[in-house]
Amino acid sequence: MFDTLKLLFSYDFIVRAMVAGGLVALCCALLGVSLVLKRFSMIGDGLSHVGFGALSVAAVMNVAPLAIAIPVVIVAAFFILKLGKDSKVQSDSAIALVSSVAIAIGVTVTSLSGGLNTDVYSYMFGSILAMSRTDVYISAALSVVVLILFFVFYHKIFAITFDSDFAKATGVKAEFYNMLIAVLTALTIVVGMRIMGTMLISSLIIFPTLSASAVVKGFRKVVIISGIVSVVCFFAGLYSSYSFNLPVGASIVLANFVVFSILMIVGKILRK
Amino acid sequence: MAQLRCENISVGYEDGIVVSDVSFELNRGDYVCIVGENGAGKSSLLKGILGLAKIQSGKIEYGDGIGRADVGYLPQQKDYQKNFPATVKEVVMSGFLNKMGLRPYYNKAEKEKAMAILQDFGMADYVKASFGSLSGGQKQRVLLARALCATDKLLLLDEPTTGLDPVATEELYELLKRLNREKKTTILMVSHDLNKAVSDAGLILHVNKRSGCGYFGPADKYLDSEAARHFLGLDCKDNKDEAETKSGNEADNGSGRKSPLLDKVEKGERYV
């Protein structure tokens, strides 16, 4: 195993995947705590589909993928939050609408330009080769912002997650923080979805929070444990993907699933 | 001077005005119950005062040493809070947010105050318990403690006894009465429990669907008022016990029958 690890670190693309992916996994877990507990889990799913649409269009137009995907996904995040507040469209339907339209656009544009190529396939299911040097920088900057947000505004984030009406009534700008969380989620997803895949990235947001809440009952502990779980599962998935030649996104999701199952059982036993 | 003065305020959302033309004032130590039909906009009125819903017209003034930040709020509980991973301490402490400004952590005085309030409410043993594991009555006491961390000057409560069993309901009312008596906490509470409102509160504010203030005055004279007679659907005041069984049907045709008292506040073009 030691030799495998040594070999692992000798490949540039793996080191990049580890650094950028590990940071993305940490950001997803922290942002996920607020999203999942507020019943906004599906926002990650919706945004990743929008990301797929944008990346496909970028691939066809032959421009830098992030230059198109980042602004489009941020706009989509605003749109989903706005639609969700409007009572005429429920937020779950809003997300489903936005997702399927984005996928439809992506697939249509791709087929007009000559069918599914390897780029588009890897956007769907992720690729260990996906992380570039730019991704490493972006994910590092993102995780710094997310960590600052959680350290400095921790209590405000707790308040808007637990009870946004009360938070607003006591003068917290809940809408601003919700928007900030959505925008950071959008950025994290665009960076992360190319290694994890469109279909699988939302599990990075949802699983860690669920795993952590299975065993601990305080918000602070859930935040800390979900961060740890997410990063550990990411490395376990990446490692098994490399050693057994498995698709990387799927391995990470399965690692999360195994940890989640174990913690659920542990939680059940502890509560007895 | 009044702590809170509302002058002809109308509250509404994007699709129209919900409450209009409500005027009243609160003085230190008042205990006011807001009553009215289902859908008359009682909760919206509270939300308007708290800045959670838009005040379309009229004005709100604070006085007597009270500012916008000195209002404690006990909102209706939300579904997702049932299994929310937060400890009692975390929930209660979030009441101090309005005093924190940019300070990221709670100070010692705040921690002691929170403990003292929990002690007073008989919840000291539950500090580390998870909020989700408490009974309905305990949850409300925790949320009340949170509101008191924000302030003990003025409390706004939105149907605090919804879903509580009779014993817990009685305990909560006793607690409110005690706060009102001992700490001179001003209480403004939306209630569907007319009997309790009349017996506990000093003042009653009756809100009519779309047509504003039906009654504002001493609780003991409320049952003789025009508004109460229409609300109860009777023309004699003796059957007040029927108040609770009537709600749904009355709400629908209630606005059709207008009392002479309300005619003067009618301004047809403002209603949707």
Side-chain angles (χ1 to χ4, degrees), chain A residues 37 151 155-156 158-159 162-163 166 168-170 217-220, chain B residues 52 68 73 75 78 80-81 85-86 90 97-98 101 104-106 146:
Chain A
L37 294 179
F151 274 114
H155 293 293
K156 292 191 175 73
F158 169 75
F162 179 72
D163 190 344
F166 181 85
K168 263 189 264 178
T170 49
K217 47 195 179 185
F219 187 75
R220 183 191 300 268
Chain B
L52 302 177
R68 178 65 192 73
Y73 179 40
K78 292 156 194 82
Y80 65 80
Q81 290 172 345
E90 286 175 323
L97 270 180
N98 60 344
Y105 297 103
Y106 300 122
R146 176 183 67 170

PDB file of all heavy atoms in Angstrom, chain A residues 37 151 155-156 158-159 162-163 166 168-170 217-220, chain B residues 52 68 73 75 78 80-81 85-86 90 97-98 101 104-106 146:
ATOM      1  N   LEU A  37     -29.801  20.895   5.810  1.00  0.00           N
ATOM      2  CA  LEU A  37     -30.653  21.083   6.986  1.00  0.00           C
ATOM      3  C   LEU A  37     -31.805  22.038   6.695  1.00  0.00           C
ATOM      4  O   LEU A  37     -32.850  21.977   7.318  1.00  0.00           O
ATOM      5  CB  LEU A  37     -29.828  21.584   8.170  1.00  0.00           C
ATOM      6  CG  LEU A  37     -28.796  20.573   8.671  1.00  0.00           C
ATOM      7  CD1 LEU A  37     -28.009  21.143   9.824  1.00  0.00           C
ATOM      8  CD2 LEU A  37     -29.467  19.274   9.089  1.00  0.00           C
ATOM      9  N   PHE A 151     -15.886  30.329   9.914  1.00  0.00           N
ATOM     10  CA  PHE A 151     -15.284  30.735  11.182  1.00  0.00           C
ATOM     11  C   PHE A 151     -15.880  32.049  11.684  1.00  0.00           C
ATOM     12  O   PHE A 151     -16.235  32.181  12.843  1.00  0.00           O
ATOM     13  CB  PHE A 151     -13.757  30.865  11.050  1.00  0.00           C
ATOM     14  CG  PHE A 151     -13.057  29.564  11.274  1.00  0.00           C
ATOM     15  CD1 PHE A 151     -12.371  28.940  10.248  1.00  0.00           C
ATOM     16  CD2 PHE A 151     -13.106  28.957  12.529  1.00  0.00           C
ATOM     17  CE1 PHE A 151     -11.737  27.719  10.464  1.00  0.00           C
ATOM     18  CE2 PHE A 151     -12.477  27.741  12.750  1.00  0.00           C
ATOM     19  CZ  PHE A 151     -11.796  27.118  11.712  1.00  0.00           C
ATOM     20  N   HIS A 155     -22.108  31.665  13.791  1.00  0.00           N
ATOM     21  CA  HIS A 155     -23.370  31.770  14.534  1.00  0.00           C
ATOM     22  C   HIS A 155     -24.495  32.305  13.658  1.00  0.00           C
ATOM     23  O   HIS A 155     -25.649  31.920  13.817  1.00  0.00           O
ATOM     24  CB  HIS A 155     -23.187  32.647  15.770  1.00  0.00           C
ATOM     25  CG  HIS A 155     -22.286  32.023  16.778  1.00  0.00           C
ATOM     26  ND1 HIS A 155     -22.629  30.884  17.473  1.00  0.00           N
ATOM     27  CD2 HIS A 155     -21.040  32.349  17.173  1.00  0.00           C
ATOM     28  CE1 HIS A 155     -21.626  30.549  18.271  1.00  0.00           C
ATOM     29  NE2 HIS A 155     -20.655  31.418  18.107  1.00  0.00           N
ATOM     30  N   LYS A 156     -24.133  33.189  12.739  1.00  0.00           N
ATOM     31  CA  LYS A 156     -25.159  33.705  11.828  1.00  0.00           C
ATOM     32  C   LYS A 156     -25.618  32.594  10.893  1.00  0.00           C
ATOM     33  O   LYS A 156     -26.812  32.466  10.595  1.00  0.00           O
ATOM     34  CB  LYS A 156     -24.616  34.886  11.029  1.00  0.00           C
ATOM     35  CG  LYS A 156     -24.361  36.107  11.898  1.00  0.00           C
ATOM     36  CD  LYS A 156     -24.086  37.335  11.069  1.00  0.00           C
ATOM     37  CE  LYS A 156     -23.957  38.561  11.948  1.00  0.00           C
ATOM     38  NZ  LYS A 156     -22.707  38.602  12.717  1.00  0.00           N
ATOM     39  N   PHE A 158     -25.576  29.421  11.561  1.00  0.00           N
ATOM     40  CA  PHE A 158     -26.452  28.558  12.360  1.00  0.00           C
ATOM     41  C   PHE A 158     -27.857  29.146  12.434  1.00  0.00           C
ATOM     42  O   PHE A 158     -28.851  28.457  12.218  1.00  0.00           O
ATOM     43  CB  PHE A 158     -25.910  28.377  13.786  1.00  0.00           C
ATOM     44  CG  PHE A 158     -26.906  27.723  14.697  1.00  0.00           C
ATOM     45  CD1 PHE A 158     -27.151  26.359  14.595  1.00  0.00           C
ATOM     46  CD2 PHE A 158     -27.643  28.464  15.606  1.00  0.00           C
ATOM     47  CE1 PHE A 158     -28.107  25.750  15.400  1.00  0.00           C
ATOM     48  CE2 PHE A 158     -28.596  27.866  16.417  1.00  0.00           C
ATOM     49  CZ  PHE A 158     -28.825  26.500  16.313  1.00  0.00           C
ATOM     50  N   ALA A 159     -27.927  30.449  12.731  1.00  0.00           N
ATOM     51  CA  ALA A 159     -29.238  31.075  12.928  1.00  0.00           C
ATOM     52  C   ALA A 159     -30.076  31.049  11.658  1.00  0.00           C
ATOM     53  O   ALA A 159     -31.262  30.717  11.713  1.00  0.00           O
ATOM     54  CB  ALA A 159     -29.067  32.514  13.422  1.00  0.00           C
ATOM     55  N   PHE A 162     -31.139  27.349  11.071  1.00  0.00           N
ATOM     56  CA  PHE A 162     -32.125  26.814  12.021  1.00  0.00           C
ATOM     57  C   PHE A 162     -33.455  27.530  11.897  1.00  0.00           C
ATOM     58  O   PHE A 162     -34.516  26.902  11.950  1.00  0.00           O
ATOM     59  CB  PHE A 162     -31.585  26.947  13.449  1.00  0.00           C
ATOM     60  CG  PHE A 162     -32.546  26.429  14.485  1.00  0.00           C
ATOM     61  CD1 PHE A 162     -32.767  25.074  14.613  1.00  0.00           C
ATOM     62  CD2 PHE A 162     -33.223  27.296  15.315  1.00  0.00           C
ATOM     63  CE1 PHE A 162     -33.652  24.589  15.551  1.00  0.00           C
ATOM     64  CE2 PHE A 162     -34.117  26.823  16.262  1.00  0.00           C
ATOM     65  CZ  PHE A 162     -34.331  25.456  16.376  1.00  0.00           C
ATOM     66  N   ASP A 163     -33.423  28.844  11.766  1.00  0.00           N
ATOM     67  CA  ASP A 163     -34.669  29.603  11.799  1.00  0.00           C
ATOM     68  C   ASP A 163     -34.433  30.954  11.143  1.00  0.00           C
ATOM     69  O   ASP A 163     -34.067  31.918  11.803  1.00  0.00           O
ATOM     70  CB  ASP A 163     -35.074  29.793  13.263  1.00  0.00           C
ATOM     71  CG  ASP A 163     -36.471  30.356  13.397  1.00  0.00           C
ATOM     72  OD1 ASP A 163     -36.992  30.870  12.402  1.00  0.00           O
ATOM     73  OD2 ASP A 163     -37.024  30.291  14.503  1.00  0.00           O
ATOM     74  N   PHE A 166     -36.429  34.047  12.512  1.00  0.00           N
ATOM     75  CA  PHE A 166     -35.923  34.617  13.758  1.00  0.00           C
ATOM     76  C   PHE A 166     -34.646  35.410  13.481  1.00  0.00           C
ATOM     77  O   PHE A 166     -34.455  36.504  14.004  1.00  0.00           O
ATOM     78  CB  PHE A 166     -35.650  33.523  14.785  1.00  0.00           C
ATOM     79  CG  PHE A 166     -35.156  34.056  16.098  1.00  0.00           C
ATOM     80  CD1 PHE A 166     -36.047  34.492  17.060  1.00  0.00           C
ATOM     81  CD2 PHE A 166     -33.797  34.148  16.365  1.00  0.00           C
ATOM     82  CE1 PHE A 166     -35.598  35.001  18.262  1.00  0.00           C
ATOM     83  CE2 PHE A 166     -33.340  34.658  17.569  1.00  0.00           C
ATOM     84  CZ  PHE A 166     -34.249  35.085  18.524  1.00  0.00           C
ATOM     85  N   LYS A 168     -33.737  36.881  10.730  1.00  0.00           N
ATOM     86  CA  LYS A 168     -34.078  38.133  10.060  1.00  0.00           C
ATOM     87  C   LYS A 168     -34.665  39.126  11.052  1.00  0.00           C
ATOM     88  O   LYS A 168     -34.349  40.308  11.022  1.00  0.00           O
ATOM     89  CB  LYS A 168     -35.089  37.872   8.944  1.00  0.00           C
ATOM     90  CG  LYS A 168     -34.447  37.752   7.580  1.00  0.00           C
ATOM     91  CD  LYS A 168     -35.511  37.725   6.496  1.00  0.00           C
ATOM     92  CE  LYS A 168     -35.846  36.308   6.118  1.00  0.00           C
ATOM     93  NZ  LYS A 168     -36.898  36.191   5.115  1.00  0.00           N
ATOM     94  N   ALA A 169     -35.530  38.624  11.945  1.00  0.00           N
ATOM     95  CA  ALA A 169     -36.173  39.508  12.913  1.00  0.00           C
ATOM     96  C   ALA A 169     -35.153  40.129  13.852  1.00  0.00           C
ATOM     97  O   ALA A 169     -35.350  41.227  14.347  1.00  0.00           O
ATOM     98  CB  ALA A 169     -37.240  38.751  13.698  1.00  0.00           C
ATOM     99  N   THR A 170     -34.044  39.420  14.112  1.00  0.00           N
ATOM    100  CA  THR A 170     -33.031  40.007  14.981  1.00  0.00           C
ATOM    101  C   THR A 170     -31.962  40.742  14.173  1.00  0.00           C
ATOM    102  O   THR A 170     -30.902  41.049  14.690  1.00  0.00           O
ATOM    103  CB  THR A 170     -32.346  38.954  15.869  1.00  0.00           C
ATOM    104  OG1 THR A 170     -31.953  37.873  15.054  1.00  0.00           O
ATOM    105  CG2 THR A 170     -33.233  38.466  16.971  1.00  0.00           C
ATOM    106  N   LYS A 217     -25.344  15.273  17.748  1.00  0.00           N
ATOM    107  CA  LYS A 217     -26.594  16.019  17.768  1.00  0.00           C
ATOM    108  C   LYS A 217     -26.443  17.541  17.803  1.00  0.00           C
ATOM    109  O   LYS A 217     -27.426  18.248  17.722  1.00  0.00           O
ATOM    110  CB  LYS A 217     -27.455  15.558  18.947  1.00  0.00           C
ATOM    111  CG  LYS A 217     -26.706  15.450  20.241  1.00  0.00           C
ATOM    112  CD  LYS A 217     -27.508  14.646  21.265  1.00  0.00           C
ATOM    113  CE  LYS A 217     -26.720  14.529  22.543  1.00  0.00           C
ATOM    114  NZ  LYS A 217     -27.335  13.691  23.547  1.00  0.00           N
ATOM    115  N   GLY A 218     -25.225  18.037  17.906  1.00  0.00           N
ATOM    116  CA  GLY A 218     -25.051  19.492  17.901  1.00  0.00           C
ATOM    117  C   GLY A 218     -24.660  19.987  16.519  1.00  0.00           C
ATOM    118  O   GLY A 218     -24.053  19.262  15.738  1.00  0.00           O
ATOM    119  N   PHE A 219     -25.005  21.233  16.232  1.00  0.00           N
ATOM    120  CA  PHE A 219     -24.716  21.806  14.918  1.00  0.00           C
ATOM    121  C   PHE A 219     -23.205  21.907  14.686  1.00  0.00           C
ATOM    122  O   PHE A 219     -22.701  21.551  13.631  1.00  0.00           O
ATOM    123  CB  PHE A 219     -25.367  23.189  14.826  1.00  0.00           C
ATOM    124  CG  PHE A 219     -25.277  23.815  13.470  1.00  0.00           C
ATOM    125  CD1 PHE A 219     -26.080  23.379  12.426  1.00  0.00           C
ATOM    126  CD2 PHE A 219     -24.401  24.865  13.222  1.00  0.00           C
ATOM    127  CE1 PHE A 219     -26.015  23.971  11.169  1.00  0.00           C
ATOM    128  CE2 PHE A 219     -24.331  25.462  11.965  1.00  0.00           C
ATOM    129  CZ  PHE A 219     -25.132  25.014  10.950  1.00  0.00           C
ATOM    130  N   ARG A 220     -22.478  22.374  15.713  1.00  0.00           N
ATOM    131  CA  ARG A 220     -21.034  22.545  15.565  1.00  0.00           C
ATOM    132  C   ARG A 220     -20.369  21.208  15.240  1.00  0.00           C
ATOM    133  O   ARG A 220     -19.523  21.125  14.355  1.00  0.00           O
ATOM    134  CB  ARG A 220     -20.450  23.121  16.851  1.00  0.00           C
ATOM    135  CG  ARG A 220     -18.959  23.414  16.765  1.00  0.00           C
ATOM    136  CD  ARG A 220     -18.395  23.728  18.124  1.00  0.00           C
ATOM    137  NE  ARG A 220     -19.025  24.896  18.722  1.00  0.00           N
ATOM    138  CZ  ARG A 220     -18.546  26.139  18.590  1.00  0.00           C
ATOM    139  NH1 ARG A 220     -17.453  26.346  17.910  1.00  0.00           N
ATOM    140  NH2 ARG A 220     -19.154  27.140  19.159  1.00  0.00           N
TER     141      ARG A 220
ATOM    142  N   LEU B  52     -40.346  41.258   8.487  1.00  0.00           N
ATOM    143  CA  LEU B  52     -40.273  40.044   7.665  1.00  0.00           C
ATOM    144  C   LEU B  52     -41.243  40.109   6.496  1.00  0.00           C
ATOM    145  O   LEU B  52     -41.119  39.375   5.530  1.00  0.00           O
ATOM    146  CB  LEU B  52     -40.598  38.804   8.508  1.00  0.00           C
ATOM    147  CG  LEU B  52     -39.725  38.570   9.716  1.00  0.00           C
ATOM    148  CD1 LEU B  52     -40.198  37.368  10.500  1.00  0.00           C
ATOM    149  CD2 LEU B  52     -38.287  38.369   9.289  1.00  0.00           C
ATOM    150  N   ARG B  68     -35.498  48.862  17.381  1.00  0.00           N
ATOM    151  CA  ARG B  68     -35.818  47.737  16.513  1.00  0.00           C
ATOM    152  C   ARG B  68     -35.149  46.443  16.997  1.00  0.00           C
ATOM    153  O   ARG B  68     -35.686  45.348  16.840  1.00  0.00           O
ATOM    154  CB  ARG B  68     -35.356  48.111  15.099  1.00  0.00           C
ATOM    155  CG  ARG B  68     -35.522  47.111  14.031  1.00  0.00           C
ATOM    156  CD  ARG B  68     -36.972  46.820  13.763  1.00  0.00           C
ATOM    157  NE  ARG B  68     -37.049  45.640  12.918  1.00  0.00           N
ATOM    158  CZ  ARG B  68     -36.795  44.427  13.351  1.00  0.00           C
ATOM    159  NH1 ARG B  68     -36.488  44.221  14.608  1.00  0.00           N
ATOM    160  NH2 ARG B  68     -36.859  43.404  12.533  1.00  0.00           N
ATOM    161  N   TYR B  73     -38.755  37.472  19.475  1.00  0.00           N
ATOM    162  CA  TYR B  73     -39.752  36.884  18.584  1.00  0.00           C
ATOM    163  C   TYR B  73     -39.814  35.373  18.804  1.00  0.00           C
ATOM    164  O   TYR B  73     -38.791  34.701  18.880  1.00  0.00           O
ATOM    165  CB  TYR B  73     -39.362  37.208  17.136  1.00  0.00           C
ATOM    166  CG  TYR B  73     -40.257  36.655  16.059  1.00  0.00           C
ATOM    167  CD1 TYR B  73     -41.641  36.637  16.196  1.00  0.00           C
ATOM    168  CD2 TYR B  73     -39.718  36.166  14.861  1.00  0.00           C
ATOM    169  CE1 TYR B  73     -42.452  36.155  15.183  1.00  0.00           C
ATOM    170  CE2 TYR B  73     -40.520  35.683  13.843  1.00  0.00           C
ATOM    171  CZ  TYR B  73     -41.890  35.679  14.005  1.00  0.00           C
ATOM    172  OH  TYR B  73     -42.679  35.196  13.002  1.00  0.00           O
ATOM    173  N   PRO B  75     -41.393  32.566  16.734  1.00  0.00           N
ATOM    174  CA  PRO B  75     -42.147  32.247  15.517  1.00  0.00           C
ATOM    175  C   PRO B  75     -42.851  30.898  15.626  1.00  0.00           C
ATOM    176  O   PRO B  75     -42.614  30.148  16.575  1.00  0.00           O
ATOM    177  CB  PRO B  75     -41.074  32.196  14.428  1.00  0.00           C
ATOM    178  CG  PRO B  75     -39.768  32.125  15.114  1.00  0.00           C
ATOM    179  CD  PRO B  75     -39.953  32.351  16.573  1.00  0.00           C
ATOM    180  N   LYS B  78     -41.166  25.277  12.496  1.00  0.00           N
ATOM    181  CA  LYS B  78     -41.180  24.775  11.129  1.00  0.00           C
ATOM    182  C   LYS B  78     -40.915  23.279  11.131  1.00  0.00           C
ATOM    183  O   LYS B  78     -40.263  22.755  12.023  1.00  0.00           O
ATOM    184  CB  LYS B  78     -40.123  25.505  10.312  1.00  0.00           C
ATOM    185  CG  LYS B  78     -40.521  26.959  10.144  1.00  0.00           C
ATOM    186  CD  LYS B  78     -39.350  27.866   9.878  1.00  0.00           C
ATOM    187  CE  LYS B  78     -39.735  29.315  10.067  1.00  0.00           C
ATOM    188  NZ  LYS B  78     -39.717  29.745  11.471  1.00  0.00           N
ATOM    189  N   TYR B  80     -38.948  21.347   9.378  1.00  0.00           N
ATOM    190  CA  TYR B  80     -37.596  20.804   9.313  1.00  0.00           C
ATOM    191  C   TYR B  80     -36.851  20.916  10.635  1.00  0.00           C
ATOM    192  O   TYR B  80     -35.798  20.328  10.814  1.00  0.00           O
ATOM    193  CB  TYR B  80     -36.794  21.462   8.187  1.00  0.00           C
ATOM    194  CG  TYR B  80     -36.527  22.929   8.377  1.00  0.00           C
ATOM    195  CD1 TYR B  80     -35.505  23.347   9.214  1.00  0.00           C
ATOM    196  CD2 TYR B  80     -37.275  23.895   7.731  1.00  0.00           C
ATOM    197  CE1 TYR B  80     -35.254  24.691   9.395  1.00  0.00           C
ATOM    198  CE2 TYR B  80     -37.031  25.240   7.897  1.00  0.00           C
ATOM    199  CZ  TYR B  80     -36.019  25.625   8.733  1.00  0.00           C
ATOM    200  OH  TYR B  80     -35.768  26.963   8.918  1.00  0.00           O
ATOM    201  N   GLN B  81     -37.414  21.696  11.583  1.00  0.00           N
ATOM    202  CA  GLN B  81     -36.726  21.824  12.873  1.00  0.00           C
ATOM    203  C   GLN B  81     -36.896  20.583  13.737  1.00  0.00           C
ATOM    204  O   GLN B  81     -36.205  20.419  14.724  1.00  0.00           O
ATOM    205  CB  GLN B  81     -37.243  23.050  13.616  1.00  0.00           C
ATOM    206  CG  GLN B  81     -36.798  24.342  12.969  1.00  0.00           C
ATOM    207  CD  GLN B  81     -37.456  25.557  13.569  1.00  0.00           C
ATOM    208  OE1 GLN B  81     -38.438  25.432  14.284  1.00  0.00           O
ATOM    209  NE2 GLN B  81     -36.933  26.724  13.277  1.00  0.00           N
ATOM    210  N   PRO B  85     -30.181  18.891  13.865  1.00  0.00           N
ATOM    211  CA  PRO B  85     -29.119  18.589  14.821  1.00  0.00           C
ATOM    212  C   PRO B  85     -28.573  19.853  15.489  1.00  0.00           C
ATOM    213  O   PRO B  85     -27.612  20.441  15.014  1.00  0.00           O
ATOM    214  CB  PRO B  85     -28.047  17.931  13.957  1.00  0.00           C
ATOM    215  CG  PRO B  85     -28.257  18.519  12.615  1.00  0.00           C
ATOM    216  CD  PRO B  85     -29.713  18.819  12.487  1.00  0.00           C
ATOM    217  N   ALA B  86     -29.227  20.292  16.562  1.00  0.00           N
ATOM    218  CA  ALA B  86     -28.723  21.446  17.300  1.00  0.00           C
ATOM    219  C   ALA B  86     -28.959  21.171  18.770  1.00  0.00           C
ATOM    220  O   ALA B  86     -29.966  20.576  19.137  1.00  0.00           O
ATOM    221  CB  ALA B  86     -29.454  22.712  16.876  1.00  0.00           C
ATOM    222  N   GLU B  90     -27.100  25.723  21.760  1.00  0.00           N
ATOM    223  CA  GLU B  90     -26.881  26.410  20.488  1.00  0.00           C
ATOM    224  C   GLU B  90     -28.106  27.221  20.086  1.00  0.00           C
ATOM    225  O   GLU B  90     -27.996  28.351  19.605  1.00  0.00           O
ATOM    226  CB  GLU B  90     -26.531  25.395  19.379  1.00  0.00           C
ATOM    227  CG  GLU B  90     -25.130  24.841  19.491  1.00  0.00           C
ATOM    228  CD  GLU B  90     -24.815  23.760  18.469  1.00  0.00           C
ATOM    229  OE1 GLU B  90     -25.706  22.943  18.142  1.00  0.00           O
ATOM    230  OE2 GLU B  90     -23.673  23.718  17.996  1.00  0.00           O
ATOM    231  N   LEU B  97     -27.710  37.079  18.867  1.00  0.00           N
ATOM    232  CA  LEU B  97     -27.148  37.556  17.600  1.00  0.00           C
ATOM    233  C   LEU B  97     -27.286  39.056  17.401  1.00  0.00           C
ATOM    234  O   LEU B  97     -26.383  39.711  16.889  1.00  0.00           O
ATOM    235  CB  LEU B  97     -27.838  36.851  16.436  1.00  0.00           C
ATOM    236  CG  LEU B  97     -27.203  35.560  15.980  1.00  0.00           C
ATOM    237  CD1 LEU B  97     -27.996  34.994  14.822  1.00  0.00           C
ATOM    238  CD2 LEU B  97     -25.769  35.804  15.551  1.00  0.00           C
ATOM    239  N   ASN B  98     -28.438  39.612  17.824  1.00  0.00           N
ATOM    240  CA  ASN B  98     -28.663  41.038  17.566  1.00  0.00           C
ATOM    241  C   ASN B  98     -27.692  41.931  18.326  1.00  0.00           C
ATOM    242  O   ASN B  98     -27.490  43.080  17.976  1.00  0.00           O
ATOM    243  CB  ASN B  98     -30.115  41.426  17.881  1.00  0.00           C
ATOM    244  CG  ASN B  98     -30.464  41.163  19.326  1.00  0.00           C
ATOM    245  OD1 ASN B  98     -29.743  40.441  20.014  1.00  0.00           O
ATOM    246  ND2 ASN B  98     -31.552  41.738  19.814  1.00  0.00           N
ATOM    247  N   GLY B 101     -23.087  42.133  16.661  1.00  0.00           N
ATOM    248  CA  GLY B 101     -22.426  42.903  15.620  1.00  0.00           C
ATOM    249  C   GLY B 101     -21.479  42.014  14.848  1.00  0.00           C
ATOM    250  O   GLY B 101     -21.866  40.961  14.372  1.00  0.00           O
ATOM    251  N   PRO B 104     -17.423  37.477  16.485  1.00  0.00           N
ATOM    252  CA  PRO B 104     -17.814  36.151  16.013  1.00  0.00           C
ATOM    253  C   PRO B 104     -18.231  35.173  17.127  1.00  0.00           C
ATOM    254  O   PRO B 104     -18.853  34.172  16.833  1.00  0.00           O
ATOM    255  CB  PRO B 104     -16.580  35.646  15.269  1.00  0.00           C
ATOM    256  CG  PRO B 104     -15.447  36.474  15.717  1.00  0.00           C
ATOM    257  CD  PRO B 104     -15.970  37.711  16.360  1.00  0.00           C
ATOM    258  N   TYR B 105     -17.873  35.425  18.380  1.00  0.00           N
ATOM    259  CA  TYR B 105     -18.197  34.451  19.412  1.00  0.00           C
ATOM    260  C   TYR B 105     -18.969  35.066  20.584  1.00  0.00           C
ATOM    261  O   TYR B 105     -18.878  36.256  20.830  1.00  0.00           O
ATOM    262  CB  TYR B 105     -16.914  33.758  19.917  1.00  0.00           C
ATOM    263  CG  TYR B 105     -16.267  33.000  18.805  1.00  0.00           C
ATOM    264  CD1 TYR B 105     -15.144  33.492  18.147  1.00  0.00           C
ATOM    265  CD2 TYR B 105     -16.840  31.804  18.353  1.00  0.00           C
ATOM    266  CE1 TYR B 105     -14.593  32.804  17.075  1.00  0.00           C
ATOM    267  CE2 TYR B 105     -16.293  31.115  17.293  1.00  0.00           C
ATOM    268  CZ  TYR B 105     -15.177  31.617  16.654  1.00  0.00           C
ATOM    269  OH  TYR B 105     -14.656  30.940  15.584  1.00  0.00           O
ATOM    270  N   TYR B 106     -19.719  34.242  21.278  1.00  0.00           N
ATOM    271  CA  TYR B 106     -20.483  34.707  22.435  1.00  0.00           C
ATOM    272  C   TYR B 106     -19.545  34.953  23.610  1.00  0.00           C
ATOM    273  O   TYR B 106     -18.579  34.222  23.812  1.00  0.00           O
ATOM    274  CB  TYR B 106     -21.515  33.661  22.843  1.00  0.00           C
ATOM    275  CG  TYR B 106     -22.504  33.334  21.762  1.00  0.00           C
ATOM    276  CD1 TYR B 106     -22.655  32.036  21.298  1.00  0.00           C
ATOM    277  CD2 TYR B 106     -23.294  34.332  21.206  1.00  0.00           C
ATOM    278  CE1 TYR B 106     -23.576  31.739  20.310  1.00  0.00           C
ATOM    279  CE2 TYR B 106     -24.202  34.040  20.214  1.00  0.00           C
ATOM    280  CZ  TYR B 106     -24.340  32.741  19.757  1.00  0.00           C
ATOM    281  OH  TYR B 106     -25.241  32.459  18.786  1.00  0.00           O
ATOM    282  N   ARG B 146     -34.736  31.632  23.979  1.00  0.00           N
ATOM    283  CA  ARG B 146     -33.963  32.279  22.927  1.00  0.00           C
ATOM    284  C   ARG B 146     -34.458  33.722  22.709  1.00  0.00           C
ATOM    285  O   ARG B 146     -33.670  34.656  22.607  1.00  0.00           O
ATOM    286  CB  ARG B 146     -34.089  31.487  21.624  1.00  0.00           C
ATOM    287  CG  ARG B 146     -33.386  32.135  20.446  1.00  0.00           C
ATOM    288  CD  ARG B 146     -33.591  31.373  19.167  1.00  0.00           C
ATOM    289  NE  ARG B 146     -34.979  31.409  18.721  1.00  0.00           N
ATOM    290  CZ  ARG B 146     -35.395  30.983  17.536  1.00  0.00           C
ATOM    291  NH1 ARG B 146     -34.537  30.471  16.686  1.00  0.00           N
ATOM    292  NH2 ARG B 146     -36.659  31.044  17.204  1.00  0.00           N
TER     293      ARG B 146
END
